[in-house]
Amino acid sequence: MIRLVLGLCAIGAVVATPVVTRSKEDVDRYRDFLLNTFTNKADKFKNLAAQSPDHPEMYSGKYQGDIVLDKEDVDDMVAQYASGRNAVIFPGLSTQWPDNTVVWAFADTHYEEPGQKEAVLEAMKLIESKTCVKFRQAEPSDRFFVNMTSYPSGCYAHVGYRVWRGPHIFNLGSTPGSDCFRQPTIVHELMHIMGFFHMHATYDRDNYVRVNYENIVSGAESDFDKLNEYLVGNLGVEYDYVSCLHYPALAWSKNFEPTIEPLREIDGVMGQREYITEKDWLRINRYHNCPGAWE
Ligand SMILES: [Zn+2]
């Protein structure tokens, strides 16, 4: 169980078999892809974003759309990619926030549009009402906290708690035609902050979905990386097609054909951003060992 719990908060790896040979060009391309996530603007996939207004996080230009990497991770990820693994394991596991309490602060002059602060506070309250996770506003003496910004560059966040990071990145900044401030989207980003990754990246996703690489727009292939089961577990909760952390069927599709195709019947809409599922809540509760979560 410890392995699984640790796993959820480490950026994982694409499955290690079969080993493939990669050229220097492949490795350089992968490094560029990762480094570009530090500078990409939300409009990298502007045309795709316009077709998917419910998923601004998907087109925010970061790793898998909205995951902010630590610079320390990139060399390690590239080295593993170059070694021929279909895998990228992030060094330095992150952990749960101490005392299951996420410490946060609105950055000065951010979230000043009407309703923005309220929307974030409501999402926090919702999580507190469904789980044992708490949110505490940072005191001046706090050094490790989520620095909440609202730059107009999409929705994105760091994953998990890493003490050496100092301020953790969290941004909700709507761009024209998209809205980061809907509740399931805010909870999606807060789940990253708590240590969760995307559902479609789960190590056993191939048992549940087929990824159609031929339909993925060029440059987004690595956004479909799978996470290594030694680093990522599902805490005994079955794959959740309708999780607020699942991407939709047409994610990064270049031709309106599905990139993610379910292999089983779904109760609900894959990639929906209307509500948080019971499985989402259960995974948060189990990850934090909340009372009753394992009964
Ligand atoms: Zn995300």
Side-chain angles (χ1 to χ4, degrees):
M1 188 51 59
I2 287 172
R3 189 193 76 186
L4 291 178
V5 169
L6 281 176
L8 265 175
C9 55
I11 291 186
V14 190
V15 162
T17 55
V19 171
V20 293
T21 304
R22 295 204 165 97
S23 66
K24 183 177 180 307
E25 287 72 27
D26 286 339
V27 174
D28 288 346
R29 197 175 308 121
Y30 189 68
R31 181 186 289 105
D32 286 346
F33 167 80
L34 294 177
L35 290 176
N36 281 338
T37 65
F38 292 102
T39 54
N40 278 338
K41 300 287 183 280
D43 59 0
K44 181 185 174 195
F45 293 113
K46 196 163 57 181
N47 295 339
L48 293 180
Q51 295 156 17
S52 194
D54 291 353
H55 302 92
E57 76 279 8
M58 208 161 64
Y59 298 114
S60 295
K62 309 300 182 203
Y63 182 65
Q64 295 192 352
D66 64 338
I67 289 176
V68 178
L69 302 175
D70 288 309
K71 285 205 163 66
E72 288 79 355
D73 296 327
V74 172
D75 285 347
D76 199 72
M77 293 171 76
V78 170
Q80 295 193 49
Y81 182 85
S83 76
R85 303 173 60 140
N86 245 337
V88 189
I89 301 172
F90 279 40
L93 293 177
S94 55
T95 67
Q96 291 96 339
W97 285 75
D99 302 322
N100 289 348
T101 301
V102 178
V103 182
W104 62 275
F106 287 125
D108 287 347
T109 74
H110 286 255
Y111 295 91
E112 293 191 329
E113 296 293 322
Q116 290 185 337
K117 282 184 176 164
E118 290 78 3
V120 176
L121 294 171
E122 252 174 50
M124 290 182 192
K125 267 191 211 142
L126 178 65
I127 293 170
E128 288 184 334
S129 74
K130 294 284 192 177
T131 73
C132 66
V133 176
K134 300 289 174 210
F135 292 86
R136 175 175 70 75
Q137 195 156 12
E139 308 283 344
S141 58
D142 279 310
R143 291 169 56 213
F144 311 117
F145 59 92
V146 182
N147 185 39
M148 294 188 159
T149 55
S150 58
Y151 295 114
S153 51
C155 343
Y156 47 87
H158 269 132
V159 173
Y161 173 80
R162 281 177 166 175
V163 67
W164 44 262
R165 260 186 201 144
H168 288 48
I169 292 174
F170 176 99
N171 188 78
L172 299 174
S174 295
T175 52
S178 71
D179 182 8
C180 289
F181 286 91
R182 54 198 305 163
Q183 199 172 66
T185 303
I186 302 173
V187 173
H188 174 121
E189 298 306 326
L190 289 172
M191 284 185 75
H192 286 322
I193 284 291
M194 286 185 272
F196 289 86
F197 290 89
H198 294 126
M199 199 72 224
H200 80 272
T202 304
Y203 72 94
D204 62 350
R205 65 113 187 270
D206 289 341
N207 296 333
Y208 298 91
V209 297
R210 177 170 46 239
V211 173
N212 296 320
Y213 282 90
E214 67 275 17
N215 296 331
I216 298 172
V217 67
S218 174
E221 297 86 350
S222 295
D223 291 318
F224 291 84
D225 283 355
K226 258 189 309 190
L227 307 180
N228 188 296
E229 66 171 307
Y230 294 104
L231 290 174
V232 175
N234 285 325
L235 300 158
V237 183
E238 201 188 9
Y239 192 89
D240 186 5
Y241 287 105
V242 289
S243 165
C244 73
L245 286 172
H246 206 299
Y247 277 160
L250 296 183
W252 290 287
S253 174
K254 65 180 179 190
N255 54 10
F256 295 102
E257 297 293 327
T259 53
I260 307 175
E261 216 172 320
L263 298 175
R264 306 182 187 194
E265 210 164 303
I266 300 178
D267 187 11
V269 176
M270 190 174 73
Q272 62 82 25
R273 293 292 183 271
E274 299 295 327
Y275 59 94
I276 320 303
T277 69
E278 289 306 314
K279 287 180 182 171
D280 286 329
W281 295 129
L282 184 57
R283 286 196 300 141
I284 296 174
N285 276 305
R286 287 192 170 179
Y287 180 52
H288 295 91
N289 281 319
C290 295
W294 293 99
E295 287 164 10

